[in-house]
Amino acid sequence: MTWEMVIGLETHVELATKTKIFCSCTTAFGGAPNTHCCPVCTGMPGTLPVVNEKVLEFAVKAGLALNGEIARSCKFDRKNYFYPDLPKAYQISQLYLPIVRNGRVPIRTPSGVEKTIRIHELHMEEDAGKLVHDPWIDQTRCDYNRCGVPLIEIVTEPDFRSAEEVIAYLEKLRSTLQYLGVSDCKMQEGSLRCDVNLSVRPAGAEELGTRTEMKNLNSFKAIARSIEYEARRQIEAIEEGKRVVQETRRWDENKDATFAMRSKEDAQDYRYFPEPDIPPLEISDGYLDRLRAEIPEMAEAKAARYQAEWGLPAYDCEMLTGQKALADFFEAVVELGAPPKQAANWIMGEVLRRLSAGGLEAKDLALTPKTLARIIQLVQTGALNRNTAVKVFDAVFESDGDVDAYVEAHGLRQVSDAGLVADVVAQVLAANPKSVEDYKGGKKKAFGFLVGQVMRELKGQASPQVVNQVLQEELDEL
């Protein structure tokens, strides 16, 4: 039997505000445990929450960019449950009147699948704290620094049919939110976390299977692997005549498997009721128009502009605009005089190579556009050949060092003196009569060998064009 997986996502995005959603405590990542909290975010009796206006602004901008319907009136609700990292014993969220409904996100996967993912809703809420288990003393302690950090939760319809589609959606979502500036989406710091609801059914069936929920996945790799594992686990269970249990499961990266955490029924008694300390939020047409006008040029629009203005291939444009920081870096290099195609080649080749090797993102670059533009200029003017330029790039990448000073200090400036090159060519031809004879006999590979010998004698610093020209002239005269 052929099986089909059905997946819906709940994505929690930490907003890039400086302070929390209902108080003035900092949202900075890190800090000693329990030093970024106050009576409001820890729920002390008698305290009152005040809505951070920037949270509403970011939520509305995200809703607009995701093609959603913005509610003109929305309100907060209390979700009541006890958990050690939730000191108030309730979470302020939105259930009945969320800020955004009915969004749409078009995606295209690497294998060519194109579809639109429906957004059921986007709502604002506060984050809970964090439990830290110390195995040495066998104790679990609470860090409340994260309590009250503002989140938007983006809930999709069950529109995904593969892990590939899920990753394509999340990459598109991350790019969109980063372009808007509403979140840094650093998964390693918990700024973007994903819950995966997954079930399987026979291909072509209409009825949904029993779903499980995998909580708090914080890397694309973990999300893809957990989806593949969980689908396989459910299919094997059904084929063996067993029942899939509706439950919450956790992904164990070391064991490459999911494990049951707790049962999850459809009707959980969170005793939602309207948040009594926060009045409904009314959104005017003027407010919406202002925020709509502030939405920046997004990735698709940038890619189209790069193609139209600079004639770059579609692949280059897609790569360059995938991260806002990378697109900003590219545009700055071009503004400094680098030809767009040359700048694109260096960024997609050398810059992304070093970022990948260091596990970094474009926003972590120490290298400045000015430094890369100077390297490209030195190659264009013939002061450096491409191979030497790459060595210089690697040398200055982490420190953004002075390119010219490094070139001079290491004697890397390219040799373009035809007279000097001619002397070396003469020495190489005299030392390799067999290769000269092979070339004269029609073996064109011998020419490449001789070029390599000349370049080696000149320590790779000669202009390839000059070497080829002088060598050809000398061989033609023999």
Side-chain angles (χ1 to χ4, degrees):
M1 180 180 291
T2 303
W3 297 88
E4 175 184 65
M5 66 175 80
V6 180
I7 304 167
L9 299 183
E10 300 169 19
T11 306
H12 293 83
V13 180
E14 185 178 301
L15 299 179
T17 58
K18 293 181 180 179
T19 56
K20 294 185 179 181
I21 186 169
F22 300 124
C23 67
S24 59
C25 290
T26 179
T27 58
F29 179 74
N34 300 310
T35 58
H36 295 174
C37 44
C38 71
V40 174
C41 55
T42 53
M44 295 295 113
T47 59
L48 291 173
V50 176
V51 177
N52 183 338
E53 184 179 357
K54 205 70 175 176
V55 174
L56 176 63
E57 176 185 319
F58 283 176
V60 170
K61 284 184 175 179
L64 291 171
L66 298 176
N67 306 298
E69 300 169 3
I70 310 301
R72 298 309 176 91
S73 179
C74 70
K75 65 182 183 66
F76 286 97
D77 305 291
R78 283 193 184 182
K79 179 182 180 181
N80 297 274
Y81 64 97
F82 173 76
Y83 206 64
D85 63 359
L86 193 68
K88 293 187 293 194
Y90 65 86
Q91 178 191 35
I92 300 178
S93 182
Q94 292 186 305
L95 176 67
Y96 301 109
L97 292 175
I99 185 66
V100 180
R101 289 190 188 275
N102 302 324
R104 302 177 310 282
V105 179
I107 64 168
R108 183 176 69 253
T109 70
S111 64
V113 174
E114 295 188 24
K115 66 190 302 184
T116 296
I117 304 301
R118 295 170 296 161
I119 303 295
H120 177 73
E121 69 173 61
L122 179 156
H123 61 261
M124 299 175 286
E125 64 184 18
E126 60 180 335
D127 207 348
K130 182 179 181 181
L131 297 179
V132 182
H133 184 71
D134 188 334
W136 292 102
I137 58 176
D138 195 27
Q139 289 184 358
T140 298
R141 298 179 175 182
C142 296
D143 179 3
Y144 294 132
N145 280 350
R146 205 169 63 188
C147 284
V149 167
L151 301 175
I152 53 174
E153 181 175 352
I154 303 167
V155 182
T156 75
E157 299 291 355
D159 289 344
F160 304 97
R161 298 295 178 266
S162 69
E164 183 185 50
E165 292 178 7
V166 168
I167 300 306
Y169 163 80
L170 289 173
E171 288 177 339
K172 180 72 170 289
L173 182 64
R174 180 176 66 175
S175 173
T176 299
L177 297 174
Q178 288 177 338
Y179 268 88
L180 290 172
V182 305
S183 175
D184 59 23
C185 293
K186 291 182 178 179
M187 300 187 79
Q188 70 275 18
E189 295 182 4
S191 296
L192 190 150
R193 311 189 295 274
C194 198
D195 299 343
V196 177
N197 294 284
L198 184 149
S199 64
V200 297
R201 64 184 180 187
E206 293 294 329
E207 185 178 352
L208 295 174
T210 301
R211 66 183 172 88
T212 60
E213 180 183 38
M214 292 175 284
K215 297 285 287 185
N216 291 328
L217 298 165
N218 62 357
S219 76
F220 290 164
K221 179 182 177 182
I223 291 167
R225 289 169 63 193
S226 65
I227 287 172
E228 298 296 346
Y229 173 86
E230 182 60 17
R232 187 167 62 250
R233 185 191 71 84
Q234 291 188 21
I235 291 169
E236 289 175 356
I238 295 170
E239 290 181 340
E240 291 172 2
K242 299 176 182 177
R243 185 173 67 93
V244 175
V245 177
Q246 184 166 318
E247 61 189 357
T248 298
R249 300 179 68 86
R250 66 177 178 85
W251 170 251
D252 190 312
E253 188 73 24
N254 295 322
K255 296 181 180 179
D256 202 24
T258 62
F259 295 91
M261 292 173 60
R262 56 183 179 271
S263 64
K264 185 178 179 68
E265 300 301 327
D266 282 322
Q268 296 200 42
D269 186 15
Y270 287 124
R271 294 179 294 118
Y272 278 101
F273 63 83
E275 170 54 52
D277 294 330
I278 303 176
L281 304 176
E282 304 294 332
I283 297 175
S284 68
D285 290 342
Y287 181 78
L288 269 183
D289 290 341
R290 177 174 68 82
L291 296 188
R292 189 176 285 112
E294 291 177 0
I295 292 179
E297 182 183 42
M298 303 299 281
E300 293 85 354
K302 275 189 184 294
R305 178 165 62 83
Y306 292 175
Q307 281 188 277
E309 290 185 6
W310 296 322
L312 295 179
Y315 175 80
D316 292 18
C317 297
E318 186 175 345
M319 289 287 290
L320 293 168
T321 58
Q323 300 179 55
K324 182 179 184 298
L326 198 66
D328 290 344
F329 186 88
F330 166 70
E331 291 185 18
V333 173
V334 173
E335 286 177 7
L336 289 165
K341 181 56 178 172
Q342 294 302 313
N345 289 346
W346 273 90
I347 290 170
M348 292 190 301
E350 306 310 325
V351 172
L352 290 182
R353 170 180 64 84
R354 288 299 303 266
L355 288 176
S356 176
L360 303 172
E361 296 185 9
K363 57 179 172 288
D364 302 319
L365 271 171
L367 186 79
T368 61
K370 182 179 178 182
T371 299
L372 181 57
R374 179 56 179 159
I375 292 174
I376 294 172
Q377 183 185 36
L378 290 173
V379 174
Q380 277 190 292
T381 59
L384 293 179
N385 64 39
R386 187 63 163 74
N387 290 338
T388 303
V390 171
K391 295 176 183 176
V392 174
F393 171 87
D394 284 334
V396 301
F397 179 80
E398 293 183 357
S399 62
D400 193 43
D402 186 318
V403 172
D404 291 285
Y406 185 87
V407 168
E408 295 304 324
H410 293 80
L412 298 176
R413 195 165 291 274
Q414 185 167 263
V415 176
S416 300
D417 184 337
L420 176 59
V421 172
D423 291 340
V424 175
V425 167
Q427 295 172 21
V428 168
L429 294 180
N432 297 276
K434 180 66 168 63
S435 295
V436 173
E437 184 180 340
D438 289 344
Y439 175 77
K440 288 294 188 178
K443 296 182 178 179
K444 300 302 181 183
K445 288 184 178 180
F447 186 85
F449 171 78
L450 293 169
V451 168
Q453 295 302 303
V454 174
M455 294 296 289
R456 188 178 69 173
E457 292 296 322
L458 291 168
K459 300 179 180 178
Q461 293 169 225
S463 166
Q465 294 83 358
V466 174
V467 169
N468 277 272
Q469 180 182 345
V470 172
L471 180 60
Q472 188 67 64
E473 291 173 353
E474 292 294 326
L475 286 170
D476 290 345
E477 291 180 3
L478 293 177

